[in-house]
Amino acid sequence: MATTEPWLMENGNLKGMSKETRHGRTVHNMSSSSLRKKSDMTLVSKVPCGIVRKVLANLQEVILGTKLSVLFPAIPLAVVAQSYGFGKPWIFALSLLGLTPLAERVSFLTEQIAHYTGPTVGGLLNATCGNATELIIAILALIQHKVDVVKYSLLGSILSNLLLVLGTSLFCGGIANLNKEQKFDRKQADVNSLLLLMGLLCHMLPLMFRYVGKLDAATIEKQTLELSRVCSVVMLIAYFAYLVFQLWTHREFFEAQEEDEDDDVTTEKAPVIGFWSGFSWLLLMTAVIALLSEYVVGTIEEASESWGISVSFISIILLPIVGNAAEHAGAIIFAFKNKLDISLGVALGSATQIAMFVVPLSVITAWIIGINMDLNFNLLETGSLALSILVTAFTLQDGTSHYMKGFVLFLCYIIIGACFFVSQTPLNQANDVNLRVESSTGAIFKA
């Protein structure tokens, strides 16, 4: 049950509960809300002590208020496995499972806080916490000098959203609505595609920089690093401009469409927990995500060796699928209901946030802590990213959808997944492959 502090009241009603606020819910919140369930407060309401009743109500809303609550036991199991020296693959698997409900709960808590702060602050909070798992994993991997893991995991998140989430959403939506023409608003898709193409340019230039001129490897590496840092600053400027565009000047492009809904997900208007309760839970969830992310980063190589799967495949394919399962499932559910604007907002919005915010922020963070991370994601990885963005842009160009478009996107993801499954390039050796390709290219031109 939500607390109603006096400063949150205005004319007898909660602040932030205006029509603007209700219709300003982000598509990420809308998507995750499809996995929530109403809590039965019958037993809790009978507790005589007010403080105990509020604590139990908060626990029931936050912990049991999601259909993914069955995965919460994986969190203490991961801690126990780490404390008692269980096998690293078990720690890795349990940590991944534990991250799945946490990502959905962070979305829930940001939405609860937005009820009190208004849609703009709530949108900024969601923009910061929307991909908290990826950002925390990236920072922890950087601290452990695992730059390749950072690049692989962030690339995997982008590919997963563009091909897997969007593909399965369009496919399932098309199958469920065979007799209807599925349409969506192209304005949002056009803005996100434009930003993704800009991000791709910032990845392509450092990669192509290696094949220009006749400089030695050390000079090329230095100049590539400098170019990447400049591009990262520009990408962050573009992302903050995108936030202004999304939250202030053109908010109507990105608002979730709730007017014609009659289901429980979209008609829920009142917050179920108080502001300070939500803020405290958000800090706690972030701390748990950081702990499990540290386990994931510390055990990924041992899990790779034990399972016989390359680190690149685990980082690019498994991490994004498991870590963002809640958001992905929500996008598919709304596609079934013929609400493609929400599904597209989840997939493209998350991909844009990773590409234009988390990736450049990781480069800047690495720069601050004295680690060299550039935007050269190597030839195979950058090529996969480029083709994925182009295929997605072509798929969305006419503002209509059918199941064949989604099926093709999904098959593209399967092909890329097979590519990285077959590829067994060890960590820290991808750049050596690039240099060998560069040397071979130079020899051909000389010949």
Side-chain angles (χ1 to χ4, degrees):
M1 299 174 62
T3 57
T4 53
E5 291 87 340
W7 62 275
L8 293 174
M9 303 297 292
E10 182 176 308
N11 298 327
N13 297 312
L14 283 170
K15 290 182 179 180
M17 292 302 294
S18 64
K19 179 180 178 181
E20 180 187 38
T21 302
R22 292 197 303 269
H23 297 303
R25 294 174 68 189
T26 67
V27 289
H28 293 274
N29 294 141
M30 293 281 290
S31 173
S32 296
S33 65
S34 62
L35 294 175
R36 295 171 197 162
K37 59 182 181 181
K38 287 188 175 181
S39 300
D40 185 2
M41 295 295 178
T42 304
L43 293 177
V44 174
S45 62
K46 296 179 180 179
V47 176
C49 181
I51 297 178
V52 176
R53 185 169 60 250
K54 289 181 180 180
V55 171
L56 292 177
N58 271 267
L59 285 171
Q60 185 159 345
E61 290 290 354
V62 176
I63 303 300
L64 301 178
T66 173
K67 298 173 184 177
L68 299 175
S69 58
V70 294
L71 296 179
F72 272 115
I75 299 175
L77 289 176
V79 175
V80 171
Q82 173 70 17
S83 301
Y84 288 91
F86 284 25
K88 296 296 181 65
W90 281 102
I91 301 174
F92 179 82
L94 290 170
S95 299
L96 268 187
L97 289 177
L99 287 172
T100 302
L102 290 174
E104 188 274 332
R105 291 288 83 186
V106 166
S107 176
F108 162 76
L109 291 169
T110 56
E111 181 181 349
Q112 293 298 304
I113 294 174
H115 279 291
Y116 303 104
T117 61
T120 300
V121 176
L124 289 172
L125 186 62
N126 183 267
T128 305
C129 301
N131 292 99
T133 303
E134 291 87 346
L135 181 59
I136 292 173
I137 288 178
I139 293 175
L140 292 175
L142 283 175
I143 293 175
Q144 298 184 28
H145 296 267
K146 296 182 179 181
V147 176
D148 286 335
V149 172
V150 177
K151 292 181 177 180
Y152 287 147
S153 62
L154 297 181
L155 172 67
S157 294
I158 299 173
L159 297 180
S160 173
N161 280 289
L162 293 181
L163 300 180
L164 178 63
V165 180
L166 187 58
T168 51
S169 296
L170 297 183
F171 177 76
C172 294
I175 293 296
N177 300 275
L178 281 175
N179 298 324
K180 300 178 183 178
E181 182 181 19
Q182 289 193 291
K183 295 183 179 181
F184 55 87
D185 190 349
R186 281 186 51 195
K187 300 185 186 73
Q188 179 185 171
D190 288 345
V191 173
N192 284 302
S193 297
L194 185 63
L195 287 171
L196 288 170
L197 287 171
M198 176 188 168
L200 176 61
L201 175 66
C202 293
H203 287 286
M204 292 291 293
L205 291 179
L207 174 65
M208 294 187 293
F209 209 63
R210 290 180 172 272
Y211 307 102
V212 178
K214 300 180 181 179
L215 301 176
D216 59 280
T219 303
I220 292 176
E221 184 176 352
K222 178 183 177 182
Q223 294 179 349
T224 301
L225 185 62
E226 293 173 349
L227 175 62
S228 297
R229 289 169 175 171
V230 172
C231 289
S232 296
V233 173
V234 174
M235 291 167 75
L236 288 175
I237 293 173
Y239 181 74
F240 289 124
Y242 167 67
L243 289 181
V244 173
F245 184 84
Q246 180 184 23
L247 299 175
W248 280 284
T249 63
H250 291 73
R251 179 185 295 167
E252 66 276 6
F253 286 7
F254 301 89
E255 285 181 349
Q257 299 177 350
E258 302 180 64
E259 291 83 354
D260 58 345
E261 304 304 320
D262 56 1
D263 53 81
D264 293 335
V265 171
T266 54
T267 56
E268 179 188 0
K269 298 174 183 178
V272 294
I273 61 175
F275 173 81
W276 290 112
S277 297
F279 187 74
S280 301
W281 275 108
L282 184 61
L283 292 179
L284 177 61
M285 292 289 181
T286 304
V288 177
I289 289 175
L291 177 65
L292 295 183
S293 298
E294 185 176 2
Y295 292 168
V296 167
V297 173
T299 58
I300 187 171
E301 293 178 64
E302 288 80 0
S304 170
E305 294 175 2
S306 176
W307 297 343
I309 304 175
S310 65
V311 174
S312 61
F313 180 81
I314 292 177
S315 302
I316 294 175
I317 305 299
L318 294 185
L319 276 180
I321 290 177
V322 178
N324 294 322
E327 191 175 77
H328 296 180
I332 295 172
I333 290 173
F334 277 104
F336 268 114
K337 298 178 181 179
N338 201 19
K339 302 179 181 63
L340 288 186
D341 285 327
I342 298 178
S343 298
L344 264 66
V346 171
L348 295 179
S350 184
T352 302
Q353 189 176 57
I354 294 292
M356 301 299 294
F357 176 65
V358 181
V359 170
L361 184 62
S362 298
V363 174
I364 300 300
T365 302
W367 185 11
I368 293 173
I369 62 179
I371 296 173
N372 294 335
M373 176 182 172
D374 56 33
L375 291 175
N376 176 16
F377 278 29
N378 306 321
L379 191 58
L380 178 62
E381 290 81 356
T382 305
S384 300
L385 176 63
L387 293 174
S388 298
I389 293 175
L390 292 176
V391 169
T392 302
F394 276 115
T395 300
L396 303 176
Q397 63 181 341
D398 62 350
T400 62
S401 175
H402 46 73
Y403 73 88
M404 193 61 196
K405 288 185 176 182
F407 190 57
V408 171
L409 290 178
F410 178 73
L411 291 180
C412 289
Y413 187 75
I414 295 297
I415 295 170
I416 292 177
C419 173
F420 287 107
F421 182 81
V422 173
S423 174
Q424 296 291 330
T425 304
L427 289 179
N428 303 319
Q429 290 191 14
N431 286 330
D432 295 338
V433 175
N434 271 354
L435 291 176
R436 287 199 298 271
V437 173
E438 176 189 353
S439 301
S440 301
T441 306
I444 292 174
F445 282 121
K446 287 181 181 179

